Short mmCIF file of all heavy atoms in Angstrom, two decimals:
data_model
loop_
_atom_site.label_atom_id
_atom_site.label_comp_id
_atom_site.label_asym_id
_atom_site.label_seq_id
_atom_site.Cartn_x
_atom_site.Cartn_y
_atom_site.Cartn_z
N GLY M 9 -14.42 90.61 -83.79
CA GLY M 9 -14.98 91.96 -83.77
C GLY M 9 -14.43 92.81 -82.68
O GLY M 9 -13.20 92.96 -82.50
N ASP M 10 -15.36 93.28 -81.84
CA ASP M 10 -14.89 94.03 -80.63
C ASP M 10 -14.80 93.26 -79.40
O ASP M 10 -14.46 93.76 -78.32
CB ASP M 10 -15.83 95.27 -80.43
CG ASP M 10 -15.74 96.31 -81.56
OD1 ASP M 10 -14.63 96.42 -82.07
OD2 ASP M 10 -16.74 96.92 -81.92
N LYS M 11 -15.25 92.02 -79.40
CA LYS M 11 -15.29 91.09 -78.18
C LYS M 11 -14.03 90.31 -78.05
O LYS M 11 -13.46 89.80 -78.97
CB LYS M 11 -16.55 90.19 -78.33
CG LYS M 11 -16.77 89.35 -77.10
CD LYS M 11 -17.98 88.51 -77.11
CE LYS M 11 -18.17 87.72 -75.92
NZ LYS M 11 -19.38 86.85 -76.05
N ILE M 12 -13.49 90.22 -76.80
CA ILE M 12 -12.36 89.46 -76.57
C ILE M 12 -12.81 87.97 -76.24
O ILE M 12 -13.69 87.76 -75.41
CB ILE M 12 -11.59 89.96 -75.30
CG1 ILE M 12 -10.97 91.41 -75.66
CG2 ILE M 12 -10.52 89.04 -74.81
CD1 ILE M 12 -10.23 92.06 -74.53
N ILE M 13 -12.17 87.06 -76.91
CA ILE M 13 -12.43 85.64 -76.82
C ILE M 13 -11.24 84.91 -76.21
O ILE M 13 -10.14 85.08 -76.70
CB ILE M 13 -12.81 85.12 -78.26
CG1 ILE M 13 -13.98 85.85 -78.88
CG2 ILE M 13 -13.12 83.58 -78.16
CD1 ILE M 13 -15.26 85.71 -78.14
N TYR M 14 -11.51 84.03 -75.35
CA TYR M 14 -10.38 83.20 -74.83
C TYR M 14 -10.14 82.05 -75.82
O TYR M 14 -11.02 81.47 -76.39
CB TYR M 14 -10.82 82.55 -73.43
CG TYR M 14 -10.72 83.64 -72.33
CD1 TYR M 14 -11.87 84.16 -71.81
CD2 TYR M 14 -9.49 83.94 -71.76
CE1 TYR M 14 -11.89 85.08 -70.81
CE2 TYR M 14 -9.48 84.85 -70.74
CZ TYR M 14 -10.61 85.48 -70.24
OH TYR M 14 -10.59 86.39 -69.31
N CYS M 15 -8.78 81.63 -75.92
CA CYS M 15 -8.32 80.61 -76.76
C CYS M 15 -7.74 79.47 -75.96
O CYS M 15 -7.65 79.54 -74.77
CB CYS M 15 -7.30 81.19 -77.77
SG CYS M 15 -7.89 82.50 -78.81
N ALA M 16 -7.29 78.46 -76.66
CA ALA M 16 -6.74 77.28 -76.01
C ALA M 16 -5.49 77.64 -75.18
O ALA M 16 -5.26 77.05 -74.19
CB ALA M 16 -6.21 76.22 -77.07
N GLY M 17 -4.76 78.68 -75.63
CA GLY M 17 -3.57 79.08 -74.85
C GLY M 17 -3.96 79.51 -73.42
O GLY M 17 -3.06 79.37 -72.53
N ALA M 18 -5.11 80.06 -73.24
CA ALA M 18 -5.52 80.44 -71.79
C ALA M 18 -5.76 79.26 -71.01
O ALA M 18 -5.34 79.26 -69.83
CB ALA M 18 -6.84 81.28 -71.92
N LEU M 19 -6.33 78.20 -71.48
CA LEU M 19 -6.43 76.95 -70.72
C LEU M 19 -5.14 76.30 -70.53
O LEU M 19 -4.85 75.76 -69.37
CB LEU M 19 -7.36 76.02 -71.48
CG LEU M 19 -8.82 76.42 -71.72
CD1 LEU M 19 -9.55 75.37 -72.50
CD2 LEU M 19 -9.53 76.66 -70.38
N ALA M 20 -4.23 76.34 -71.51
CA ALA M 20 -2.90 75.78 -71.38
C ALA M 20 -2.10 76.53 -70.33
O ALA M 20 -1.38 75.93 -69.47
CB ALA M 20 -2.08 75.81 -72.70
N GLN M 21 -2.23 77.83 -70.36
CA GLN M 21 -1.52 78.66 -69.30
C GLN M 21 -2.02 78.26 -67.87
O GLN M 21 -1.17 78.20 -66.95
CB GLN M 21 -1.87 80.18 -69.51
CG GLN M 21 -1.08 81.10 -68.73
CD GLN M 21 -1.35 82.57 -69.07
OE1 GLN M 21 -2.55 82.98 -68.94
NE2 GLN M 21 -0.44 83.32 -69.55
N ARG M 22 -3.31 78.07 -67.72
CA ARG M 22 -3.76 77.63 -66.40
C ARG M 22 -3.25 76.24 -66.10
O ARG M 22 -2.97 75.91 -64.90
CB ARG M 22 -5.34 77.67 -66.34
CG ARG M 22 -6.03 77.22 -65.04
CD ARG M 22 -5.45 77.97 -63.85
NE ARG M 22 -5.91 77.32 -62.63
CZ ARG M 22 -5.32 77.40 -61.47
NH1 ARG M 22 -4.12 78.05 -61.37
NH2 ARG M 22 -5.81 76.86 -60.33
N TYR M 23 -3.26 75.32 -66.96
CA TYR M 23 -2.80 73.97 -66.84
C TYR M 23 -1.24 73.92 -66.43
O TYR M 23 -0.89 73.24 -65.55
CB TYR M 23 -2.94 73.15 -68.12
CG TYR M 23 -2.79 71.64 -67.88
CD1 TYR M 23 -3.56 70.96 -66.89
CD2 TYR M 23 -1.95 70.84 -68.63
CE1 TYR M 23 -3.46 69.59 -66.67
CE2 TYR M 23 -1.78 69.54 -68.48
CZ TYR M 23 -2.57 68.93 -67.51
OH TYR M 23 -2.38 67.58 -67.30
N GLU M 24 -0.48 74.81 -67.00
CA GLU M 24 0.85 74.98 -66.62
C GLU M 24 1.03 75.37 -65.14
O GLU M 24 1.89 74.89 -64.39
CB GLU M 24 1.61 75.95 -67.48
CG GLU M 24 2.29 75.32 -68.72
CD GLU M 24 3.17 76.28 -69.47
OE1 GLU M 24 2.75 77.42 -69.77
OE2 GLU M 24 4.32 75.88 -69.69
N ALA M 25 0.09 76.33 -64.73
CA ALA M 25 0.06 76.77 -63.37
C ALA M 25 -0.32 75.71 -62.37
O ALA M 25 0.17 75.73 -61.22
CB ALA M 25 -0.85 77.97 -63.20
N LEU M 26 -0.87 74.66 -62.94
CA LEU M 26 -1.28 73.48 -62.08
C LEU M 26 -0.18 72.34 -62.18
O LEU M 26 -0.39 71.26 -61.82
CB LEU M 26 -2.60 72.92 -62.52
CG LEU M 26 -3.89 73.79 -62.27
CD1 LEU M 26 -5.07 73.25 -62.94
CD2 LEU M 26 -4.13 73.89 -60.72
N ASN M 27 0.91 72.78 -62.78
CA ASN M 27 2.10 71.91 -63.06
C ASN M 27 1.76 70.82 -64.03
O ASN M 27 2.40 69.69 -64.01
CB ASN M 27 2.55 71.22 -61.67
CG ASN M 27 3.07 72.26 -60.69
OD1 ASN M 27 3.88 73.13 -61.14
ND2 ASN M 27 2.72 72.10 -59.47
N GLY M 28 0.78 71.10 -64.94
CA GLY M 28 0.60 70.17 -66.01
C GLY M 28 1.64 70.25 -67.09
O GLY M 28 2.35 71.19 -67.28
N SER M 29 1.79 69.09 -67.79
CA SER M 29 2.81 69.02 -68.90
C SER M 29 2.16 69.42 -70.24
O SER M 29 1.10 68.96 -70.65
CB SER M 29 3.28 67.55 -68.98
OG SER M 29 4.10 67.40 -70.06
N LEU M 30 2.84 70.36 -70.94
CA LEU M 30 2.30 71.00 -72.12
C LEU M 30 3.19 70.69 -73.39
O LEU M 30 4.37 70.70 -73.24
CB LEU M 30 2.13 72.50 -71.99
CG LEU M 30 0.83 73.11 -71.53
CD1 LEU M 30 -0.25 72.79 -72.58
CD2 LEU M 30 0.44 72.57 -70.19
N ILE M 31 2.59 70.46 -74.48
CA ILE M 31 3.19 70.48 -75.76
C ILE M 31 2.46 71.43 -76.60
O ILE M 31 1.26 71.28 -76.84
CB ILE M 31 3.13 69.07 -76.49
CG1 ILE M 31 3.70 67.94 -75.53
CG2 ILE M 31 3.76 69.04 -77.82
CD1 ILE M 31 3.37 66.52 -75.98
N TYR M 32 3.24 72.44 -77.11
CA TYR M 32 2.54 73.55 -77.83
C TYR M 32 2.80 73.40 -79.38
O TYR M 32 3.91 73.13 -79.86
CB TYR M 32 3.12 74.93 -77.50
CG TYR M 32 2.66 75.42 -76.14
CD1 TYR M 32 3.38 75.24 -75.02
CD2 TYR M 32 1.40 76.04 -76.03
CE1 TYR M 32 2.92 75.77 -73.68
CE2 TYR M 32 0.92 76.56 -74.88
CZ TYR M 32 1.76 76.40 -73.68
OH TYR M 32 1.27 76.90 -72.48
N ALA M 33 1.67 73.52 -80.15
CA ALA M 33 1.77 73.67 -81.59
C ALA M 33 1.60 75.17 -81.91
O ALA M 33 1.05 75.92 -81.15
CB ALA M 33 0.70 72.85 -82.29
N GLY M 34 2.13 75.62 -82.99
CA GLY M 34 1.91 76.97 -83.38
C GLY M 34 2.84 77.99 -82.82
O GLY M 34 3.88 77.62 -82.18
N LYS M 35 2.63 79.18 -83.17
CA LYS M 35 3.55 80.32 -82.70
C LYS M 35 3.41 80.53 -81.22
O LYS M 35 2.42 80.38 -80.66
CB LYS M 35 3.08 81.61 -83.41
CG LYS M 35 3.12 81.58 -84.91
CD LYS M 35 2.56 82.84 -85.55
CE LYS M 35 1.04 82.88 -85.39
NZ LYS M 35 0.45 84.05 -86.13
N PRO M 36 4.58 80.71 -80.51
CA PRO M 36 5.91 81.11 -81.06
C PRO M 36 6.92 79.94 -81.18
O PRO M 36 8.14 80.20 -81.12
CB PRO M 36 6.46 82.08 -80.00
CG PRO M 36 5.82 81.45 -78.71
CD PRO M 36 4.46 80.96 -79.09
N TYR M 37 6.44 78.76 -81.34
CA TYR M 37 7.33 77.65 -81.28
C TYR M 37 7.86 77.25 -82.74
O TYR M 37 7.16 77.48 -83.77
CB TYR M 37 6.61 76.44 -80.63
CG TYR M 37 6.18 76.82 -79.24
CD1 TYR M 37 4.92 77.40 -78.96
CD2 TYR M 37 7.08 76.77 -78.16
CE1 TYR M 37 4.58 77.72 -77.72
CE2 TYR M 37 6.72 77.11 -76.92
CZ TYR M 37 5.51 77.69 -76.62
OH TYR M 37 5.17 78.09 -75.41
N PRO M 38 9.05 76.62 -82.77
CA PRO M 38 9.75 76.43 -84.08
C PRO M 38 9.05 75.71 -85.20
O PRO M 38 9.24 76.06 -86.29
CB PRO M 38 11.07 75.72 -83.61
CG PRO M 38 11.25 76.14 -82.21
CD PRO M 38 9.91 76.19 -81.62
N PRO M 39 8.31 74.57 -84.90
CA PRO M 39 7.82 73.76 -86.04
C PRO M 39 6.96 74.55 -87.04
O PRO M 39 7.04 74.27 -88.17
CB PRO M 39 6.98 72.69 -85.27
CG PRO M 39 7.61 72.54 -83.91
CD PRO M 39 8.00 73.99 -83.56
N ILE M 40 6.06 75.48 -86.67
CA ILE M 40 5.30 76.22 -87.57
C ILE M 40 6.05 77.14 -88.37
O ILE M 40 5.77 77.31 -89.60
CB ILE M 40 4.10 76.97 -86.84
CG1 ILE M 40 3.03 77.30 -87.82
CG2 ILE M 40 4.64 78.15 -86.05
CD1 ILE M 40 1.80 77.80 -87.17
N TYR M 41 7.21 77.65 -87.87
CA TYR M 41 8.09 78.51 -88.75
C TYR M 41 8.78 77.67 -89.75
O TYR M 41 9.03 78.15 -90.87
CB TYR M 41 9.01 79.34 -87.83
CG TYR M 41 8.26 80.40 -87.08
CD1 TYR M 41 7.81 80.13 -85.80
CD2 TYR M 41 8.00 81.62 -87.66
CE1 TYR M 41 7.09 81.09 -85.11
CE2 TYR M 41 7.28 82.53 -86.96
CZ TYR M 41 6.77 82.31 -85.72
OH TYR M 41 6.07 83.28 -84.98
N ALA M 42 9.28 76.54 -89.35
CA ALA M 42 9.99 75.64 -90.29
C ALA M 42 9.02 75.27 -91.46
O ALA M 42 9.41 75.25 -92.67
CB ALA M 42 10.42 74.34 -89.62
N ALA M 43 7.74 74.96 -91.13
CA ALA M 43 6.78 74.64 -92.21
C ALA M 43 6.53 75.83 -93.09
O ALA M 43 6.38 75.70 -94.34
CB ALA M 43 5.51 74.15 -91.52
N ALA M 44 6.44 77.01 -92.46
CA ALA M 44 6.11 78.23 -93.27
C ALA M 44 7.26 78.56 -94.21
O ALA M 44 7.05 78.88 -95.44
CB ALA M 44 5.86 79.41 -92.30
N LEU M 45 8.51 78.38 -93.72
CA LEU M 45 9.65 78.73 -94.63
C LEU M 45 9.76 77.68 -95.69
O LEU M 45 10.20 77.99 -96.81
CB LEU M 45 11.00 78.78 -93.73
CG LEU M 45 10.99 79.94 -92.75
CD1 LEU M 45 12.18 79.79 -91.81
CD2 LEU M 45 11.13 81.22 -93.55
N GLN M 46 9.37 76.43 -95.46
CA GLN M 46 9.38 75.41 -96.48
C GLN M 46 8.39 75.83 -97.60
O GLN M 46 8.68 75.63 -98.79
CB GLN M 46 8.99 74.10 -95.82
CG GLN M 46 9.55 72.86 -96.51
CD GLN M 46 9.35 71.66 -95.71
OE1 GLN M 46 8.31 71.46 -95.10
NE2 GLN M 46 10.34 70.75 -95.69
N LEU M 47 7.19 76.23 -97.17
CA LEU M 47 6.23 76.71 -98.18
C LEU M 47 6.72 77.90 -98.89
O LEU M 47 6.45 78.10 -100.16
CB LEU M 47 4.90 77.04 -97.52
CG LEU M 47 4.15 75.80 -96.91
CD1 LEU M 47 2.94 76.23 -96.04
CD2 LEU M 47 3.63 74.85 -98.03
N ALA M 48 7.45 78.88 -98.23
CA ALA M 48 7.88 80.04 -98.89
C ALA M 48 8.96 79.68 -99.94
O ALA M 48 8.99 80.23 -101.06
CB ALA M 48 8.48 81.00 -97.79
N GLU M 49 9.80 78.74 -99.64
CA GLU M 49 10.83 78.26 -100.51
C GLU M 49 10.21 77.64 -101.81
O GLU M 49 10.69 77.87 -102.91
CB GLU M 49 11.74 77.24 -99.80
CG GLU M 49 13.01 76.90 -100.59
CD GLU M 49 13.99 76.15 -99.62
OE1 GLU M 49 14.56 76.81 -98.70
OE2 GLU M 49 14.16 74.91 -99.86
N ARG M 50 9.12 76.85 -101.56
CA ARG M 50 8.40 76.29 -102.69
C ARG M 50 7.82 77.36 -103.60
O ARG M 50 7.86 77.31 -104.81
CB ARG M 50 7.30 75.39 -102.18
CG ARG M 50 6.68 74.53 -103.29
CD ARG M 50 5.64 73.62 -102.64
NE ARG M 50 6.16 72.83 -101.51
CZ ARG M 50 5.38 72.20 -100.60
NH1 ARG M 50 4.09 72.28 -100.71
NH2 ARG M 50 5.94 71.49 -99.65
N ALA M 51 7.26 78.48 -102.97
CA ALA M 51 6.62 79.54 -103.77
C ALA M 51 7.66 80.31 -104.49
O ALA M 51 7.46 80.86 -105.58
CB ALA M 51 5.83 80.43 -102.83
N LEU M 52 8.90 80.55 -103.86
CA LEU M 52 9.93 81.27 -104.45
C LEU M 52 10.62 80.50 -105.54
O LEU M 52 11.20 81.07 -106.46
CB LEU M 52 11.00 81.72 -103.39
CG LEU M 52 10.84 82.99 -102.59
CD1 LEU M 52 11.92 83.09 -101.56
CD2 LEU M 52 10.83 84.19 -103.52
N GLY M 53 10.72 79.18 -105.41
CA GLY M 53 11.39 78.36 -106.32
C GLY M 53 12.90 78.45 -106.12
O GLY M 53 13.68 78.07 -107.00
N SER M 54 13.30 78.88 -104.88
CA SER M 54 14.76 78.94 -104.56
C SER M 54 14.89 79.02 -103.03
O SER M 54 13.90 79.23 -102.33
CB SER M 54 15.38 80.20 -105.22
OG SER M 54 14.72 81.38 -104.69
N PRO M 55 16.10 78.76 -102.52
CA PRO M 55 16.25 78.83 -101.05
C PRO M 55 15.87 80.19 -100.49
O PRO M 55 16.05 81.19 -101.17
CB PRO M 55 17.82 78.49 -100.93
CG PRO M 55 18.18 77.73 -102.13
CD PRO M 55 17.34 78.34 -103.15
N VAL M 56 15.39 80.14 -99.22
CA VAL M 56 15.04 81.38 -98.59
C VAL M 56 16.12 81.97 -97.77
O VAL M 56 16.81 81.29 -97.04
CB VAL M 56 13.77 81.14 -97.69
CG1 VAL M 56 13.45 82.32 -96.79
CG2 VAL M 56 12.53 80.75 -98.40
#
């Protein structure tokens, strides 16, 4: 709605500042785009 909510990325950002080791799922990282394009190819019925 109109309220700003903190997400996991905010905690990860702070963890990185503490020199913590991070593995990110989701945008902007490549695996989620590869999965999305695979689904698009299936929906199109042809290479994307």
Side-chain angles (χ1 to χ4, degrees):
D10 292 327
K11 186 176 180 181
I12 292 179
I13 302 295
Y14 286 101
C15 301
L19 295 178
Q21 188 177 61
R22 176 57 186 153
Y23 193 54
E24 270 191 308
L26 294 168
N27 296 316
S29 172
L30 264 298
I31 301 166
Y32 285 101
K35 300 174 287 184
Y37 300 94
I40 197 168
Y41 290 93
L45 291 170
Q46 208 169 40
L47 291 172
E49 192 165 289
R50 191 179 305 164
L52 273 176
S54 61
V56 171

